[in-house]
């Protein structure tokens, strides 16, 4: 019985013959009754009737070979495997390198065969579609909605977890404070009596209908919260942080439309955009490789390693130049060290940075009469004076950093600099101040 050999073209990758210990060359024999491990014999030992331990010469056997066509009569199975291995090693499109590695086919034959049977083959397309449907069916029950069969957390009243869950009571499937919580107040004085006039009776019925519509709206909002898994806020935030920054911004924008579609459709929409973002980033990386003249993945790995090394060296040179700038000015160096000591001890740095290099530090900003000054405390006023920042701009930057910190659960300096497009030194001072005062936390 002919079967496809499960090893590569290199003889050293095949197991040795159990009779003569030589490397096997196709075709060779596999005993169908012995094993595991499989019992292999070369043709010479098989014709001599070699027997070893439990193996007998009359056992049924299989002929292991890859010298037969699979997709094309002019291509053997061995050549098909060699083509796939060459494309994996050299990269798609590098047909000359693929042909050189195969040694048995030309560049044009490799390209034509691969495009015909592995790219434009409708059989493989339907197989990929079936795999996609199977994957969707496998993950159909793993969406984020809160299932009624789940055992939700049952926090104590007025605890931190209870506040995170907006006062949701799992046993009753209600909130401590519902949407439109005082809707029932409009009915408390309504009493239907027999001597009501038709107009008064119709008016009371209209009030009841309005109350029913308010109850429907309450139930609709509660259903959206439960279906989209918004009850367990921490779990929802952790799942949202899986995405890169660009997709998180899209998630924040599209959240208002989640009420229109179901949870599965909304998640698929976000996942599709996350996939699009990944594909665009991968295409940009491949275009960068092409611009650099890279034609295979081995060279791409070397290029990435060298690029990372260059970035690290550039960062070290930048840090070294900053340190040398302070070392050359002894007075500025002492003030910088004293300032860092105040920051590390939790004190407000009060020593202005001066330098003997000819540059004078700007005087503190006068906040008298500036809009928003009354909204600042004394420490915030001192910060605005030091960094020469008007109160209105400071309050706007503070609000943006607080919102991002609450959304991410923490904030890094690099993220703060991406949000605030001002001088990086001012951003660093604002970031350190908000960390020190406890407004935000480090990620």
């Amino acid at each position: 019985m002919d079967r496809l050999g499960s090893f590569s073209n290199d003889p050293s990758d095949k197991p040795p013959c159990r009779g003569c210990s030589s490397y096997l060359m196709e075709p060779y024999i596999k005993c169908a009754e012995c094993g595991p491990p499989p019992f292999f014999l070369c043709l010479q030992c098989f014709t001599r009737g070699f027997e070893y331990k439990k193996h007998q010469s009359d056992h049924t056997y299989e002929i292991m070979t890859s010298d037969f066509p699979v997709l094309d009569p002019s291509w053997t199975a061995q050549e098909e495997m060699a083509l796939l291995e060459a494309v994996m090693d050299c990269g798609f499109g590098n047909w000359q390198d693929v042909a050189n590695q195969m040694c048995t086919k030309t560049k044009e034959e490799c390209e034509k065969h691969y495009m015909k049977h592995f790219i434009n083959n409708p059989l493989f397309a339907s197989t990929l579609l079936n795999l996609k449907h199977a994957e969707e069916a496998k993950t159909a029950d793993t969406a984020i909605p809160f299932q009624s069969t789940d055992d939700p957390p049952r926090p104590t009243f007025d605890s931190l977890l209870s506040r995170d869950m907006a006062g949701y009571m799992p046993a009753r499937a209600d909130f401590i404070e519902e949407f439109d919580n005082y809707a029932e107040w409009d009915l408390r004085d309504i009493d239907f009596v027999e001597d009501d006039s038709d107009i008064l009776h119709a008016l009371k019925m209209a009030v009841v209908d309005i109350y029913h519509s308010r109850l429907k709206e309450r139930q609709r909002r509660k259903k959206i919260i439960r279906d989209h898994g918004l009850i367990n806020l921490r779990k929802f935030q952790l799942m949202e942080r899986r995405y890169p920054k660009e997709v998180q911004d899209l998630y924040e924008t599209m959240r208002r439309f989640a009420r229109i579609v179901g949870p599965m459709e909304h998640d698929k929409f976000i996942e599709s955009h996350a996939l699009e973002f990944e594909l665009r980033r991968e295409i940009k990386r491949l275009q960068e490789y092409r611009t650099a003249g890279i034609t295979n993945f081995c060279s791409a790995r070397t290029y990435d390693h060298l690029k990372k090394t260059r970035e690290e060296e550039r960062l070290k040179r930048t840090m070294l130049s900053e340190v040398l700038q302070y070392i050359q000015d002894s007075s500025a160096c002492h003030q910088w060290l004293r300032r860092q000591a105040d920051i590390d001890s939790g004190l407000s740095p009060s020593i202005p940075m001066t330098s003997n290099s000819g540059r004078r530090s700007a005087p503190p900003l006068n906040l008298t009469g500036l809009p928003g000054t009354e909204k600042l405390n004394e420490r915030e006023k001192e910060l605005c004076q030091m960094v020469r920042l008007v109160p209105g701009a400071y309050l706007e930057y503070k609000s943006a950093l607080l919102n991002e910190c609450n959304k991410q659960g923490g904030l890094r300096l690099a993220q703060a600099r991406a949000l605030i497009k001002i001088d990086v030194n001012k951003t660093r001072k604002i970031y350190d101040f908000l960390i020190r005062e406890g407004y935000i936390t480090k990620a």
Side-chain angles (χ1 to χ4, degrees):
M1 178 174 59
D2 293 345
R3 297 191 61 178
L4 181 65
S6 57
F7 304 98
S8 65
N9 300 329
D10 190 354
S12 61
D13 289 341
K14 297 182 175 66
C17 172
R18 297 297 292 270
C20 60
S21 300
S22 62
Y23 286 118
L24 293 172
M25 300 295 293
E26 294 182 359
Y28 55 93
I29 306 299
K30 175 185 176 184
C31 180
E33 299 182 19
C34 299
F39 193 92
F40 295 109
L41 288 175
C42 63
L43 293 181
Q44 290 77 12
C45 294
F46 175 74
T47 54
R48 291 200 304 266
F50 177 80
E51 295 181 349
Y52 179 74
K53 293 185 178 180
K54 296 182 179 181
H55 174 70
Q56 301 297 322
S57 58
D58 58 350
H59 282 182
T60 56
Y61 60 91
E62 300 174 1
I63 302 176
M64 307 297 291
T65 180
S66 56
D67 189 18
F68 57 90
V70 178
L71 302 174
D72 192 309
S74 60
W75 283 68
T76 64
Q78 185 174 356
E79 290 175 330
E80 298 281 0
M81 292 189 296
L83 174 64
L84 295 177
E85 185 175 351
V87 172
M88 185 182 301
D89 292 340
C90 304
F92 177 78
N94 301 317
W95 301 115
Q96 186 60 55
D97 296 338
V98 172
N100 294 339
Q101 182 169 326
M102 286 195 61
C103 301
T104 59
K105 299 292 181 179
T106 64
K107 168 186 173 181
E108 291 74 15
E109 290 174 337
C110 294
E111 181 178 5
K112 181 180 178 180
H113 183 81
Y114 191 87
M115 296 300 296
K116 177 181 178 180
H117 295 286
F118 294 100
I119 300 297
N120 301 322
N121 193 336
L123 174 63
F124 289 163
S126 61
T127 303
L128 293 175
L129 185 61
N130 293 335
L131 291 175
K132 180 180 179 182
H133 290 166
E135 185 66 22
E136 291 179 354
K138 185 189 303 182
T139 59
D141 58 347
T142 60
I144 63 172
F146 181 80
Q147 304 294 338
S148 58
T149 56
D150 293 344
D151 186 18
R154 302 174 187 272
T156 57
F157 175 73
D158 204 27
S159 62
L160 178 60
L161 182 56
S162 177
R163 291 193 293 270
D164 287 344
M165 295 175 63
Y168 183 73
M169 298 176 289
R172 297 174 51 183
D174 289 330
F175 293 90
I176 295 177
E177 185 172 347
E178 296 282 357
F179 169 76
D180 200 359
N181 199 44
Y182 299 100
E184 289 78 9
W185 282 30
D186 294 338
L187 299 177
R188 58 182 178 177
D189 296 328
I190 293 182
D191 187 14
F192 289 89
V193 294
E194 295 181 357
D195 55 350
D196 285 341
S197 63
D198 293 341
I199 296 179
L200 182 59
H201 182 78
L203 180 60
K204 292 180 179 180
M205 290 301 298
V207 173
V208 174
D209 290 340
I210 293 174
Y211 171 69
H212 285 164
S213 64
R214 296 167 75 177
L215 286 183
K216 290 180 180 178
E217 178 63 18
R218 180 186 296 174
Q219 294 300 322
R220 186 187 72 87
R221 290 173 177 259
K222 190 185 302 183
K223 184 176 183 299
I224 291 174
I225 293 174
R226 294 179 60 185
D227 290 348
H228 287 269
L230 303 179
I231 294 175
N232 196 337
L233 183 61
R234 295 184 184 275
K235 177 182 176 182
F236 182 81
Q237 290 176 341
L238 289 175
M239 297 191 67
E240 186 177 344
R241 290 173 194 167
R242 298 178 307 169
Y243 303 111
K245 176 70 169 55
E246 293 78 1
V247 182
Q248 289 184 17
D249 294 340
L250 174 68
Y251 208 119
E252 181 70 23
T253 304
M254 299 304 298
R255 185 177 298 167
R256 66 194 68 180
F257 300 105
R259 68 186 72 179
I260 302 176
V261 297
M264 290 298 301
E265 290 75 10
H266 182 69
D267 287 349
K268 288 179 180 179
F269 176 79
I270 299 298
E271 288 289 346
S272 64
H273 280 76
L275 177 60
E276 179 188 4
F277 173 77
E278 294 294 336
L279 291 176
R280 288 181 180 274
R281 186 168 60 180
E282 184 66 16
I283 290 173
K284 184 177 180 181
R285 185 171 68 92
L286 294 176
Q287 288 176 342
E288 180 183 357
Y289 291 158
R290 176 174 293 182
T291 304
I294 297 173
T295 58
N296 55 66
F297 288 110
C298 181
S299 301
R301 287 192 294 269
T302 305
Y303 173 79
D304 290 336
H305 176 71
L306 294 177
K307 180 181 178 181
K308 182 179 179 181
T309 304
R310 287 194 299 269
E311 291 294 333
E312 293 176 351
E313 292 295 331
R314 185 184 61 82
L315 182 60
K316 290 179 181 179
R317 288 196 299 270
T318 304
M319 295 175 60
L320 181 60
S321 62
E322 293 179 355
V323 173
L324 290 176
Q325 178 183 357
Y326 286 112
I327 291 177
Q328 292 172 0
D329 190 344
S330 60
S331 177
C333 181
H334 287 300
Q335 291 184 9
W336 183 80
L337 293 174
R338 201 176 311 166
R339 182 185 183 86
Q340 292 300 318
D342 290 341
I343 294 176
D344 294 339
S345 61
L347 300 177
S348 176
S350 57
I351 302 176
M353 293 297 296
T354 59
S355 173
N356 296 331
S357 59
R359 298 179 57 186
R360 293 184 177 181
S361 59
L365 179 66
N366 186 7
L367 303 181
T368 305
L370 292 179
T373 306
E374 69 280 358
K375 299 180 181 180
L376 306 180
N377 57 34
E378 294 301 324
R379 290 185 295 273
E380 290 176 326
K381 291 179 181 178
E382 181 183 353
L383 173 68
C384 290
Q385 289 175 345
M386 284 181 50
V387 300
R388 298 185 59 80
L389 191 65
V390 295
Y394 165 75
L395 292 174
E396 181 180 350
Y397 298 152
K398 175 183 175 183
S399 176
L401 294 178
L402 287 176
N403 291 337
E404 186 68 17
C405 181
N406 293 333
K407 185 193 306 182
Q408 300 290 341
L411 195 66
R412 298 193 304 271
L413 177 60
Q415 294 173 319
R417 287 175 173 169
L419 288 173
I420 304 178
K421 303 299 183 180
I422 60 175
D423 181 66
V424 293
N425 295 321
K426 291 185 178 182
T427 305
R428 176 61 183 264
K429 293 176 182 178
I430 297 174
Y431 176 80
D432 291 340
F433 174 79
L434 295 179
I435 290 287
R436 192 166 57 252
E437 295 297 322
Y439 290 110
I440 61 176
T441 58
K442 287 186 178 180

